[in-house]
Amino acid sequence: MALLFKILATILMLINTIHVIHIYLSLRKSDDSHMLLNKKIRFFFAIFFLLLVCFLFGYVVILLSNNGNHCMFFVILSQLIFWGAVFVMISIHIFKALIRTTNQQFFLEKSDLQLSLDTYLKSIPGGVHHCEIEPEMRVTYVNKGFTDLSGFTIDEIKERHNGKYIGIIHKDDIDTFMAALEHLLKTMTSVTVTYRIVTKRGETIWVSDSMNAVKDSKGFTHIFAVVMDITTERTNAETDPLTGLLNKRAFDARTREYMSLNPQKNIGLFMIDLNFFKGVNDKYGHQIGDSVLVEAAKHFISLFSNEDAVIGRIGGDEFMVLVKDAASDEHLLALQNRLNGAFKAEIPDAEDFPPVSVSAGYVFASCFEDFDTIYRRADVSMYKAKESAHAMRNSAAE
């Protein structure tokens, strides 16, 4: 039995020694050896090897002096307990150092990653925002570019709009944004949508929003988006350069969009033409003709200033006006009378300047109706007004 314990003690001692030496050598080869092999660890290893030498010397002495004595069992047992404690102590210290160093590495890597991410986000033209769908699309992050674009910091969005991103979107574009968001959540593919936001300064700007949706490990959906200010591009693409009104394509798009989003409401659609305008261009040139068009545009803006209206120049001397949520046919008729009677373009220094006036026709219709049909009806109404104006001029000439 004593021989068995001698053999067992010897094997355990060798295994313990090899294991600790293996750890030490592994740490020396590690890229972080300068951090792990600090003074404390080297001190413990020095103690370990000193105790190992003492144990080997004492073990040999005991074997020679007690040759077969039954007390050897207790000697071996006590040595096993002692060396086990030493090994545990050293191992705990080593693994503490490993955990500490791993945490330090993780912190440094996370700091480097955060720095790289911040640098990347700053380099993106426009703004970046992160929203959590649940609950109510709350904003959790905006970068400096977003604050520069909108004027809002993350704290100001929380304070003014209860943290909801939809709070900064123009009220007329909320449905457009929500439709795009619904498509994004349904398909989980990138979606780009254009809409208006109201900045902290109260200005309305157009933005292009490229949104992506991802789910985290808990199943919650997050929206990451890059927002670009496209006000200038949008304005240039939609605006008639001479009058500043909407061009035909933009006017049609705005009208169709309003009708599709408000099928339960009524509209008034005006078609407007300038009488005897061709004679101005022919006799006085396009520069004078352009000045007449500009004056007409200003007149229409002033006349519809109290209405929720969209005004466009659809070509030449033709204009269109959409009156949103029109109250009644009688109200539109009163506007038509003001249009037909109020505008008179004159140039005092020009002899025989044609009496440029306005012929306006309108249609009172439901948004549920077909836009193209309404458009044709408004065109017919305008030509009737134009024929009437020409007839009155001819009668006056006679």
Side-chain angles (χ1 to χ4, degrees):
M1 182 64 70
L3 178 61
L4 177 62
F5 278 104
K6 289 179 184 179
I7 296 172
L8 179 61
T10 303
I11 294 173
L12 291 175
M13 180 191 67
L14 291 174
I15 293 174
N16 184 25
T17 302
I18 293 171
H19 184 59
V20 174
I21 292 174
H22 173 71
I23 292 176
Y24 183 78
L25 294 177
S26 297
L27 292 176
R28 284 185 65 86
K29 294 178 182 178
S30 171
D31 293 335
D32 303 306
S33 58
H34 65 285
M35 299 180 67
L36 291 172
L37 296 178
N38 54 35
K39 292 182 179 180
K40 288 185 178 181
I41 293 180
R42 288 196 296 270
F43 175 73
F44 276 104
F45 272 113
I47 292 178
F48 176 80
F49 286 117
L50 178 62
L51 292 173
L52 178 62
V53 172
C54 293
F55 173 73
L56 291 174
F57 178 78
Y59 188 63
V60 172
V61 171
I62 290 173
L63 287 177
L64 294 176
S65 61
N66 290 279
N67 192 22
N69 192 302
H70 68 279
C71 293
M72 182 60 66
F73 170 77
F74 298 104
V75 173
I76 294 172
L77 182 61
S78 64
Q79 292 295 330
L80 286 173
I81 295 173
F82 171 75
W83 281 102
V86 171
F87 176 73
V88 170
M89 179 183 67
I90 294 176
S91 298
I92 289 175
H93 187 82
I94 290 173
F95 289 124
K96 278 186 176 180
L98 285 171
I99 292 172
R100 184 171 60 252
T101 302
T102 301
N103 289 337
Q104 289 174 346
Q105 283 182 314
F106 176 75
F107 176 77
L108 291 174
E109 290 175 359
K110 184 178 180 181
S111 298
D112 291 341
L113 180 62
Q114 185 64 46
L115 180 62
S116 300
L117 181 60
D118 289 342
T119 302
Y120 173 71
L121 292 178
K122 288 178 182 178
S123 68
I124 295 177
V128 177
H129 68 84
H130 166 226
C131 300
E132 294 178 346
I133 293 297
E134 302 88 359
E136 299 174 322
M137 190 136 179
R138 294 188 182 276
V139 185
T140 59
Y141 170 83
V142 298
N143 72 340
K144 183 178 181 299
F146 186 90
T147 300
D148 292 341
L149 182 148
S150 67
F152 291 107
T153 63
I154 183 68
D155 292 332
E156 288 170 336
I157 293 177
K158 291 178 181 178
E159 180 182 347
R160 291 195 181 192
H161 303 291
N162 198 26
K164 299 177 184 178
Y165 181 74
I166 201 172
I168 70 172
I169 299 176
H170 191 282
K171 60 182 180 64
D172 291 341
D173 293 341
I174 290 177
D175 290 337
T176 300
F177 175 81
M178 293 306 296
L181 180 62
E182 182 180 351
H183 178 73
L184 173 66
L185 298 178
K186 184 181 297 183
T187 62
M188 295 300 286
T189 57
S190 179
V191 171
T192 300
V193 59
T194 58
Y195 54 88
R196 287 165 292 178
I197 65 172
V198 180
T199 69
K200 180 182 176 181
R201 299 175 293 276
E203 301 170 347
T204 299
I205 64 173
W206 281 96
V207 298
S208 173
D209 190 348
S210 298
M211 300 186 291
N212 286 276
V214 296
K215 288 186 177 293
D216 61 22
S217 58
K218 296 182 180 179
F220 294 111
T221 304
H222 301 257
I223 302 296
F224 294 90
V226 177
V227 180
M228 302 284 292
D229 184 352
I230 59 168
T231 304
T232 301
E233 294 85 346
R234 179 94 180 195
T235 300
N236 291 340
E238 293 189 339
T239 304
D240 170 51
L242 177 63
T243 63
L245 302 176
L246 292 179
N247 58 32
K248 185 178 187 303
R249 184 176 64 179
F251 181 86
D252 284 0
R254 296 278 187 90
T255 303
R256 291 177 188 273
E257 181 182 50
Y258 178 80
M259 292 176 65
S260 65
L261 295 175
N262 302 276
Q264 75 285 359
K265 293 183 178 180
N266 297 319
I267 61 167
L269 190 65
F270 284 84
M271 178 76 80
I272 305 170
D273 183 82
L274 300 185
N275 298 317
F276 318 113
F277 179 76
K278 185 177 181 300
V280 174
N281 278 337
D282 293 342
K283 187 172 183 178
Y284 299 98
H286 289 282
Q287 185 175 359
I288 297 297
D290 287 348
S291 66
V292 172
L293 292 173
V294 171
E295 289 302 316
K298 292 179 180 178
H299 173 69
F300 301 147
I301 293 172
S302 175
L303 192 146
F304 287 95
S305 60
N306 294 326
E307 308 292 330
D308 186 3
V310 177
I311 306 174
R313 180 189 175 201
I314 61 173
D317 60 338
E318 291 188 344
F319 299 82
M320 290 194 77
V321 180
L322 167 70
V323 177
K324 299 179 180 179
D325 198 14
S328 65
D329 186 273
E330 289 74 13
H331 178 65
L332 298 179
L333 179 60
L335 289 173
Q336 183 193 34
N337 291 333
R338 290 175 60 191
L339 276 169
N340 289 334
F343 181 70
K344 299 290 183 182
E346 296 179 356
I347 298 180
D349 297 334
E351 296 181 1
D352 300 324
F353 187 80
V356 178
S357 59
V358 169
S359 289
Y362 77 91
V363 172
F364 177 63
S366 168
C367 290
F368 188 76
E369 297 180 51
D370 178 64
F371 171 74
D372 292 326
T373 302
I374 298 173
Y375 185 98
R376 287 191 294 270
R377 288 167 55 196
D379 195 39
V380 170
S381 177
M382 184 270 293
Y383 273 103
K384 287 182 178 179
K386 196 172 185 68
E387 289 174 359
S388 176
H390 280 277
M392 290 178 60
R393 184 190 182 193
N394 292 334
S395 296
E398 293 176 357

